Amino acid sequence: MKPIVSIKNLVKAYGSFTVLHRIDLTIAEGEVVCVIGPSGSGKSTLIRCINHLEGFAAESEIVVDGVAVLPGANLARVRAEVGMVFQSFNLFPHMTVLKNVMLAPMRVRGMKAEAAAARARDLLARVGILEQAEKFPGQLSGGQQQRVAIARALAMEPRVLLFDEPTSALDPEMVGEVLDVMKKLAGTGVTMVVVTHEMGFARQVADRVIFMDGGRIVESGTPAALFDSPQEARTRAFLRAVLNH
């Protein structure tokens, strides 16, 4: 499969503190990649660089679907193809659920309101909350709000979906409903890059799992290889700590 995201020599620093050290990573079209690792290892920064929510060093190169990720005209093209779901749902509180999902296709793609509403309803049905369409975000549970955020990201028909710890702000009983939606998505062929603490999800859904520590990719491989026979001592120590809890 052809690569849809290509990252070469990615360096990100805040002053003298380097967050990402020369990351090289290629993600194939339709691949589901889960990124795991301790807090502060650079996982979220890595995926935020893909759509330039974080800037990066001039010598670094990121290409999404043939388009270089650079400030300026290219960036709008990249962001139209890359959907993102955040930890905190970032929904517009003054708009109904339906209008939250309709907004970007109308603003960015120029979709007419009727078509945008029909698409939004389809997507809300797909994530299991069509009956909440006329409510406001504040009237929904955290799990429901995160499912709206997933529907909103899908509304742009992105080539790549980025998830930045999408369940970390949820109450434990709501985590499952969001992971279920993501599992269904993973089966549709959309390219997904998921930063997650949910090891069971990574094992079950990912094509490839990447373990990061200290701003570097320490190890990557299939879920079976990485979880069952990790090659690096640091990976083994991390998995021992998280899986024994």
Side-chain angles (χ1 to χ4, degrees):
M1 283 187 285
K2 67 171 189 175
I4 194 160
V5 178
S6 172
I7 298 171
K8 291 179 184 164
N9 194 37
L10 177 59
V11 174
K12 169 67 182 177
Y14 296 105
S16 60
F17 177 63
T18 302
V19 188
L20 296 174
H21 298 265
R22 305 194 179 283
I23 299 276
D24 291 315
L25 177 63
T26 300
I27 296 165
E29 194 167 3
E31 190 176 18
V32 178
V33 176
C34 284
V35 186
I36 64 171
S39 295
S41 58
K43 309 182 299 294
S44 292
T45 304
L46 169 63
I47 67 164
R48 289 171 69 87
C49 286
I50 293 174
N51 59 357
H52 212 278
L53 289 177
E54 297 278 358
F56 44 82
E59 69 268 25
S60 307
E61 178 184 286
I62 301 179
V63 177
V64 176
D65 200 18
V67 180
V69 178
L70 297 165
N74 271 11
L75 201 48
R77 285 172 63 196
V78 169
R79 286 182 175 162
E81 303 300 335
V82 179
M84 184 140 188
V85 178
F86 301 88
Q87 292 178 45
S88 51
F89 326 117
N90 291 7
L91 301 172
F92 295 111
H94 63 289
M95 288 185 178
T96 64
V97 163
L98 187 71
K99 293 225 166 106
N100 264 281
V101 180
M102 289 169 60
L103 184 65
M106 291 173 65
R107 285 272 177 89
V108 180
R109 301 262 197 235
M111 194 180 275
K112 296 283 189 289
E114 195 174 313
R119 176 153 181 74
R121 288 183 193 283
D122 283 347
L123 289 167
L124 290 171
R126 190 164 154 192
V127 299
I129 47 169
L130 178 57
E131 72 282 0
Q132 311 293 346
E134 300 305 329
K135 289 186 179 175
F136 290 89
Q139 297 173 283
L140 305 186
S141 71
Q144 289 170 327
Q145 289 188 59
Q146 193 60 295
R147 286 191 278 163
V148 175
I150 293 170
R152 182 181 60 180
L154 288 169
M156 288 289 289
E157 299 185 312
R159 302 292 307 281
V160 181
L161 263 180
L162 309 175
F163 293 84
D164 186 7
E165 297 187 22
T167 59
S168 64
L170 299 177
D171 292 335
E173 67 269 21
M174 294 174 185
V175 169
E177 65 184 72
V178 173
L179 292 179
D180 284 344
V181 169
M182 292 171 64
K183 284 173 192 168
K184 285 179 190 154
L185 270 182
T188 66
V190 66
T191 307
M192 293 169 60
V193 187
V194 185
V195 172
T196 186
H197 293 295
E198 301 290 339
M199 299 299 138
F201 174 83
R203 182 190 278 274
Q204 187 180 348
V205 174
D207 297 306
R208 180 165 39 137
V209 179
I210 291 170
F211 171 65
M212 288 185 69
D213 189 37
R216 293 179 169 86
I217 293 176
V218 175
E219 187 168 350
S220 80
T222 64
L226 195 119
F227 286 112
D228 298 336
S229 51
Q231 301 300 298
E232 301 293 330
R234 181 67 191 96
T235 316
R236 288 195 291 274
F238 172 78
L239 291 173
R240 211 163 33 239
V242 298
L243 296 176
N244 287 345
H245 283 177

